[in-house]
Amino acid sequence: MTYENALDTALQRLHDEGRYRTFIDIERRKGQFPHAVWRKPDGTEKDITVWCGNDYLGMGQHPVVLAAMHEALDATGAGSGGTRNISGTTVYHKRLEAELSDLHQKEAALVFSSAYIANDATLSTLKTIFPGLIIYSDKLNHASMIEGVRRGGGEKRIFRHNDVAHLRELLAADDPAAPKLIAFESIYSMDGDFGPIKEICDLAEEFGALTYLDEVHAVGMYGPRGAGVAERDGQMHRLDIINGTLGKAFGVFGGYIAASAKMVDAVRSYAPGFIFTTSLPPVVAAGAAASVKHLKTDQSIRDRHQAAAKMLKMRLKALGLPIIDHGSHIVPVHVGNPVHCKALSDMLLEQFGVYVQPINYPTVPKGTERLRFTPSPVHDSGMIDGLVKAMDKLWSRCALNRAEMSA
């Protein structure tokens, strides 16, 4: 087989399975989110409403964030000019890490180029720091956590999703003297369900394990200061390492960990994914710091966010649509077929100006394909009404009717 034939075969397989990913060219316009412009392949444009973005709170358009970024851009220019160790640490990076450590009530924080890199770099490095470390990982952990655990090369145990009893069995079966770490998430983004933080922390204390919590889909949105579900549940002090993102609710870009000063220093000193990467541009760090600081005191935006999610779920349930509702802000609608999922997404975009990306395998297991809606505080009741009516019309015309999909 030639290289060209291998490429053709690999790509055709995705098309045949209905899971070839198409990138939609959209332009966000300042002050108008969630409205955007879709630039079609034929060169024409269409006004759309974004319903699948991760800018959960609309902070990517917030005046406080934009003002901080303008100030930093005018003061320092574009890039950072180096890695954190070689000329790439600025007052903006230090300010951001101070805001993050304060947010999570930890001694220190460390900023990475993304939350994916933060997970991968940290989890893959911990084996070096703690020889013989066994990592216990939830089966549905994000790909970045799975990759970090795999690259670390040490012992790992996979426990069934949110199954505390299974986790206990695995912990009890291992050498009590071996160093251990439990890695899990506060909100699992595909179903929108919550991790049992208190119960896992209880087990960690019982078996002498460290805890690693991914709060990527919760920071900014949960807790009295936006520190996440662990803060909301009064468990934040029990977690050894917290991972978060700056690119979702905070509306900018980047990722981080927050932990003890010694833990952060060790990761900073050993993780190649941190050491050998150019640091965030100062303008990005400045915007992220402003966003984190603002959301510590803006409870109203969190309340509006939850209200929008609750309204959308209530309206879709009233139509009999098979939504997955675990009480979080994420609103998945089960389709169960990749071809139908893509077709629904295309029709929503073309006919109604509603942009929601189909979620197919391998992001979710085969047979659980879905449309995943992420309402925000800037999705008003009129937008929700338009989306619900569009879903109602299309559901009546699609190949899978309500009765079949609810079964």
Side-chain angles (χ1 to χ4, degrees):
M1 179 180 290
T2 67
Y3 294 119
E4 287 292 324
N5 287 340
L7 290 169
D8 290 339
T9 299
L11 292 171
Q12 189 59 48
R13 183 165 60 248
L14 296 177
H15 284 286
D16 293 342
E17 294 175 2
R19 58 188 185 92
Y20 179 80
R21 298 177 187 232
T22 301
F23 294 165
I24 306 298
D25 182 1
I26 66 171
E27 179 183 340
R28 285 161 52 108
R29 292 181 173 169
K30 186 174 74 172
Q32 297 182 31
F33 184 75
H35 296 300
V37 175
W38 171 33
R39 301 188 186 280
K40 299 184 180 182
D42 63 6
T44 60
E45 297 181 353
K46 181 181 179 66
D47 291 332
I48 62 172
T49 303
V50 178
W51 275 100
C52 57
N54 284 335
D55 187 358
Y56 289 134
L57 302 180
M59 291 301 292
Q61 306 281 313
H62 199 285
V64 168
V65 176
L66 301 185
M69 297 182 78
H70 279 296
E71 184 274 331
L73 180 65
D74 291 340
T76 69
S80 67
T83 65
R84 286 292 297 273
N85 184 52
I86 305 176
S87 79
T89 295
T90 70
V91 64
Y92 300 100
H93 297 87
K94 301 296 287 184
R95 184 180 302 161
L96 173 56
E97 288 172 344
E99 288 288 354
L100 291 168
S101 61
D102 172 74
L103 175 68
H104 293 289
Q105 295 296 287
K106 301 296 182 187
E107 293 177 341
L110 191 65
V111 171
F112 294 77
S113 53
S114 72
Y116 186 107
I117 298 299
N119 271 334
D120 185 6
T122 302
L123 287 168
S124 64
T125 298
L126 290 174
K127 176 64 163 43
T128 302
I129 299 170
F130 304 106
L133 179 70
I134 303 171
I135 296 181
Y136 303 79
S137 180
D138 188 287
K139 183 179 180 180
L140 294 189
N141 275 343
H142 189 265
S144 59
M145 302 174 76
I146 294 170
E147 181 65 10
V149 172
R150 185 193 66 80
R151 288 202 314 108
E155 292 290 321
K156 65 178 182 292
R157 313 282 185 258
I158 310 301
F159 60 93
R160 292 186 292 270
H161 178 53
N162 281 349
D163 191 332
V164 179
H166 186 219
L167 174 58
R168 169 183 282 280
E169 291 175 12
L170 296 174
L171 287 163
D174 283 319
D175 181 356
K180 302 174 179 67
L181 179 139
I182 306 169
F184 63 112
E185 300 184 37
S186 62
I187 296 179
Y188 292 83
S189 64
M190 289 302 109
D191 284 350
D193 56 331
F194 294 89
I197 298 175
K198 180 183 183 300
E199 292 80 1
I200 288 179
C201 286
D202 289 345
L203 278 183
E205 289 183 2
E206 180 180 347
F207 288 92
L210 297 170
T211 49
Y212 186 105
L213 179 66
D214 180 308
E215 288 260 35
V216 160
H217 291 276
V219 288
M221 296 170 283
Y222 294 83
R225 299 171 78 231
V229 178
E231 182 191 33
R232 183 199 70 178
D233 295 351
Q235 302 296 310
M236 196 162 59
H237 64 287
R238 304 179 72 189
L239 294 153
D240 294 292
I241 304 173
I242 295 174
N243 168 277
T245 184
L246 304 168
K248 291 184 170 62
F250 293 126
V252 191
F253 181 77
Y256 65 89
I257 61 167
S260 69
K262 285 184 179 180
M263 184 73 77
V264 167
D265 194 20
V267 173
R268 178 191 70 86
S269 301
Y270 280 94
F274 176 82
I275 296 170
F276 299 106
T277 300
T278 299
S279 67
L280 288 184
V283 62
V284 172
S291 184
V292 173
K293 182 178 182 179
H294 177 85
L295 286 175
K296 288 176 183 176
T297 59
D298 193 348
Q299 183 59 37
S300 65
I301 197 170
R302 285 188 278 277
D303 292 340
R304 295 197 306 274
H305 181 222
Q306 292 294 325
K310 188 176 296 184
M311 179 184 292
L312 178 59
K313 286 187 283 189
M314 179 182 67
R315 295 286 305 276
L316 292 175
K317 282 181 180 179
L319 296 177
L321 298 191
I323 77 166
I324 303 168
D325 185 7
H326 292 286
S328 73
H329 61 283
I330 295 169
V331 186
V333 179
H334 181 267
V335 178
N337 179 289
V339 175
H340 290 127
C341 199
K342 180 67 165 62
L344 282 167
S345 173
D346 290 344
M347 288 188 287
L348 283 167
L349 187 62
E350 283 280 3
Q351 299 174 27
F352 299 96
V354 169
Y355 173 43
V356 57
Q357 192 73 9
I359 306 295
N360 294 330
Y361 177 83
T363 305
V364 295
K366 291 180 180 179
T368 69
E369 293 83 3
R370 66 201 62 185
L371 298 175
R372 177 180 173 274
F373 297 96
T374 54
S376 76
V378 289
H379 286 92
D380 60 31
S381 58
M383 297 176 196
I384 292 175
D385 190 59
L387 168 62
V388 170
K389 288 179 178 177
M391 289 288 285
D392 191 22
K393 290 179 181 177
L394 291 181
W395 222 258
S396 298
R397 286 159 38 193
C398 71
L400 297 174
N401 62 39
R402 288 177 174 86
E404 289 174 337
M405 298 184 71
S406 298

